[in-house]
Amino acid sequence: MDQETTTICKRLRKVLQDSGEKKCMPTILTIFMCQMPADIASALQLLAPLSTNEHDDALTYLLSLSDADTVYNAALGLYGLLLALLVAQHCQRAYTEALSVYSPTISKRHSDICIEYGDHLANTSDWAQAAAVYLLGNTTRQAVSAFVQAKEWRMAPVLAAALGSGFDT
């Protein structure tokens, strides 16, 4: 029965995705979750090209279909650090809790590597990923600046306020 359900889900999802209709997003997300086993990682990857408002709505809907920790862990599994931070923010985890995993254990060398890699990403205009890497390196000002460059208007002030750094970039 599980294989039959998954086959039907995949066929229906393909038809809906091929239609290109954004109003089908909740149905497509539901289909990902009805598969056996649920395909949370693919559902999260589907959110990437959406606008900020569509992204927020879709993420809220996805979180209503699944346990927030499961979605958060799936985002981390995709190495989508920015996505994991957005999931953490959406499921009302303390924003600093998502960062606190890294902050106490960051060594100088780790921080230096993160800054160099963040700089590389910034030089290639991959601002959102640069911001996530700067966060891992505990370089708040650079992270906020990269979020601004990425036009992630909600992330920059939230991060600045959460970390108490002010928003003076």
Side-chain angles (χ1 to χ4, degrees):
M1 183 66 172
D2 291 344
Q3 185 62 30
E4 186 177 322
T5 301
T6 299
T7 301
I8 292 169
C9 286
K10 286 180 179 179
R11 287 181 183 164
L12 180 58
R13 187 183 75 236
K14 181 174 178 8
V15 170
L16 292 173
Q17 284 181 295
D18 288 348
S19 76
E21 293 288 328
K22 292 188 182 211
K23 66 182 179 184
C24 294
M25 182 60 69
T27 305
I28 294 169
L29 292 174
T30 301
I31 291 170
F32 275 120
M33 301 309 290
C34 288
Q35 289 180 204
M36 300 295 178
D39 192 355
I40 298 171
S42 294
L44 286 169
Q45 290 173 331
L46 190 64
L47 305 183
L50 300 176
S51 70
T52 302
N53 286 341
E54 293 168 334
H55 188 270
D56 288 347
D57 292 344
L59 188 54
T60 300
Y61 184 77
L62 184 61
L63 288 167
S64 74
L65 296 175
S66 181
D67 175 55
D69 287 332
T70 304
V71 176
Y72 178 76
N73 289 333
L76 285 177
L78 292 171
Y79 297 101
L81 301 176
L82 179 59
L83 183 58
L85 290 172
L86 289 172
V87 171
Q89 180 186 17
H90 249 282
C91 65
Q92 297 180 349
R93 288 177 182 245
Y95 191 73
T96 53
E97 179 184 328
L99 299 175
S100 67
V101 172
Y102 303 104
S103 296
T105 60
I106 293 177
S107 68
K108 174 73 171 131
R109 179 159 167 70
H110 176 81
S111 182
D112 291 344
I113 291 169
C114 287
I115 291 169
E116 283 186 40
Y117 186 55
D119 289 346
H120 166 74
L121 291 169
N123 288 334
T124 61
S125 298
D126 192 353
W127 297 109
Q129 286 301 316
V133 171
Y134 285 141
L135 286 175
L136 291 176
N138 205 24
T139 53
T140 307
R141 282 193 196 283
Q142 288 167 299
V144 172
S145 179
F147 276 125
V148 169
Q149 290 294 323
K151 295 182 175 52
E152 293 287 345
W153 305 120
R154 291 184 4 188
M155 292 299 291
V158 167
L159 175 63
L163 297 178
S165 67
F167 190 56
D168 58 344
T169 58

